[in-house]
Amino acid sequence: MAEVEIVKNKQVLLRDYVSDFPEESDMIISTDSTISMKVPEGSNGVLVKNLYLSSDPFMRRFMQVSQPARSKTGFIPYTPGSPINGFGVAKVVDSGHPNFKKGDLVWGITQWEEYSLIAEPDSLFKIEHTDVPISYYIGLLGMPGLTAYAGFFEVCKPEKGEKVFVSSASGAVGLIVGQFAKLLGCYVVGSAGSKEKVDLLKNKFGFDDAFDYKQEHDLDAALKRCFPEGIDIYFENVGGKMLDAVLLNMRMNGRIAACGMISQYYSDKPEGVSNMMWIIYKRVYIKGFSVFDYYHQYSKFLDTILPHVREKKITYVEDIIEGLENGPKALIDFFNGRSVGKQLVVVARE
């Protein structure tokens, strides 16, 4: 029997749970670990070489508190001294699973390390279409893209000509929602956190209008300026004061897809919403959703978006950081809002 190869495995470890805003020093670059290049005998797992890793908002929450045990989403609870995890694109090195073979490209939940043994690979998706950059599968063609598709098309059921507002519009999900809406023939406005991001929304990504929420002292007035006839669809990423102002500006039978409420994630005293009666007055439909609820529609999503990607009808921006050793800095920069579009860390080029 041939000797199994053992290799060094660089990792990004969580030093300890974070009580305040995370810093680079809350993570450790470790070169002490090794890993076998074969899955254990009889295992159903998949060994992958990680190529691209994704920075996402939920990772900050995972760094702050102990999470429940692994769920069907595939996430492993963050544990001090262990690698953090998130979405990634990887190449199969060895497999004990019938659905994956050596050389397959996949996307899904993986560890922040050079090689990962994924013991329960049911949450992995095999990448079938490689005529587009494979890094897109942690952004435009992965979780953010499917989130945008599910919230906009499946939850809000838009119609041509409707008025659409997207908060946190310069993020990986918001940029895609806005462009889906424009392709359908909607009027689209986005909010973002800087003049530079606002300019990009209007001049690069095709939004009809946009505003910097940090410069608006009256969000209700800002929304009335952008939507004098009201809002049909609100793609909610922020919560708090923004949601409160939006409720005052919804049109009759408006729809709200509640994707995230980032303004409330880390507050000791989450803000209340005081304009809830407008949900009744305007017959507003609100639905909270998770991308995992729509995994079964991934093929339908690809059928919708891939033609737009190939015809270059969707503008997509990646904020690329080279090297796993630069992962902690990349993640903290992302948490501080210093990226536009999809931020990713390159571990290895295929």
Side-chain angles (χ1 to χ4, degrees):
M1 181 180 293
E3 186 174 342
V4 176
E5 184 183 7
I6 305 292
V7 301
K8 282 190 169 293
N9 192 26
K10 188 185 298 180
Q11 301 173 311
V12 176
L13 310 179
L14 179 67
R15 186 184 297 275
D16 201 352
Y17 290 121
V18 179
S19 59
D20 202 350
F21 195 91
E23 299 178 357
E24 285 183 56
S25 59
D26 293 315
M27 291 167 276
I28 304 166
I29 301 296
S30 171
T31 56
D32 297 335
S33 179
T34 60
I35 190 168
S36 168
M37 290 290 96
K38 296 288 288 183
V39 299
E41 191 71 32
S43 168
N44 202 37
V46 174
L47 177 69
V48 299
K49 177 181 181 179
N50 292 311
L51 304 177
Y52 301 98
L53 298 172
S54 172
S55 299
D56 290 297
F58 68 81
M59 298 173 74
R60 178 175 162 189
R61 176 69 174 168
F62 280 16
M63 294 174 73
Q64 290 183 304
V65 293
S66 178
Q67 298 294 313
R70 179 202 293 262
S71 69
K72 66 179 182 179
T73 63
F75 286 110
I76 300 170
Y78 283 20
T79 305
S82 295
I84 63 175
N85 67 80
F87 287 97
V89 167
K91 188 171 187 176
V92 176
V93 175
D94 190 36
S95 174
H97 195 285
N99 293 344
F100 303 99
K101 66 181 187 301
K102 182 177 180 179
D104 283 346
L105 292 168
V106 296
W107 75 267
I109 307 300
T110 187
Q111 307 278 82
W112 276 47
E113 56 190 358
E114 291 175 309
Y115 296 91
S116 294
L117 178 61
I118 301 173
E120 298 176 19
D122 291 336
S123 62
L124 290 180
F125 290 87
K126 190 184 295 187
I127 295 174
E128 306 283 2
H129 305 277
T130 56
D131 59 323
V132 294
I134 61 170
S135 60
Y136 283 18
Y137 285 90
I138 50 171
L140 185 58
L141 301 179
M143 182 275 287
L146 182 57
T147 302
Y149 171 85
F152 187 59
F153 289 108
E154 299 297 329
V155 175
C156 293
K157 303 189 183 308
E159 296 182 5
K160 182 178 180 180
E162 288 194 307
K163 320 290 187 193
V164 178
F165 176 50
V166 185
S167 57
S168 191
S170 65
V173 174
L175 286 176
I176 303 170
V177 174
Q179 292 182 83
F180 276 153
K182 288 304 298 178
L183 286 167
L184 189 64
C186 297
Y187 172 80
V188 187
V189 176
S191 66
S194 72
K195 181 182 182 301
E196 292 74 20
K197 291 179 179 180
V198 166
D199 290 343
L200 282 170
L201 290 176
K202 293 192 289 187
N203 301 323
K204 187 177 181 68
F205 297 103
F207 283 62
D208 294 289
D209 204 351
F211 62 88
D212 178 356
Y213 71 90
K214 293 178 181 177
Q215 300 301 316
E216 299 288 348
H217 302 295
D218 186 339
L219 292 173
D220 177 36
L223 291 170
K224 283 182 166 57
R225 182 179 73 239
C226 296
F227 296 98
E229 298 176 3
I231 300 166
D232 292 298
I233 290 172
Y234 173 42
F235 199 97
E236 164 69 303
N237 289 310
V238 172
K241 293 182 175 65
M242 185 67 79
L243 175 59
D244 222 17
V246 166
L247 291 175
L248 294 173
N249 289 277
M250 293 300 294
R251 299 181 78 181
M252 189 67 73
N253 299 311
R255 288 87 75 205
I256 298 176
C259 173
M261 298 195 180
I262 197 167
S263 72
Q264 305 304 297
Y265 290 167
Y266 317 109
S267 173
D268 292 334
K269 295 181 179 178
E271 296 170 305
V273 177
S274 59
N275 293 320
M276 297 295 284
M277 275 301 295
W278 286 89
I279 297 172
I280 300 171
Y281 297 153
K282 294 298 182 75
R283 320 305 195 257
V284 175
Y285 172 75
I286 303 180
K287 180 177 174 64
F289 75 100
S290 166
V291 67
F292 303 110
D293 303 335
Y294 295 90
Y295 265 16
H296 65 286
Q297 295 202 17
Y298 184 64
S299 294
K300 182 180 175 184
F301 156 67
L302 285 183
D303 289 343
T304 299
I305 195 170
L306 276 171
H308 296 316
V309 174
R310 289 169 177 146
E311 294 166 18
K312 302 192 184 320
K313 291 183 177 179
I314 289 183
T315 300
Y316 184 59
V317 171
E318 294 178 315
D319 186 351
I320 299 173
I321 289 79
E322 295 280 349
L324 184 62
E325 64 278 5
N326 294 314
K329 182 181 187 305
L331 200 53
I332 299 306
D333 284 350
F334 172 77
F335 292 155
N336 277 299
R338 295 182 187 134
S339 62
V340 174
K342 183 65 212 167
Q343 190 193 75
L344 56 94
V345 176
V346 180
V347 182
R349 301 283 181 178
E350 189 195 351

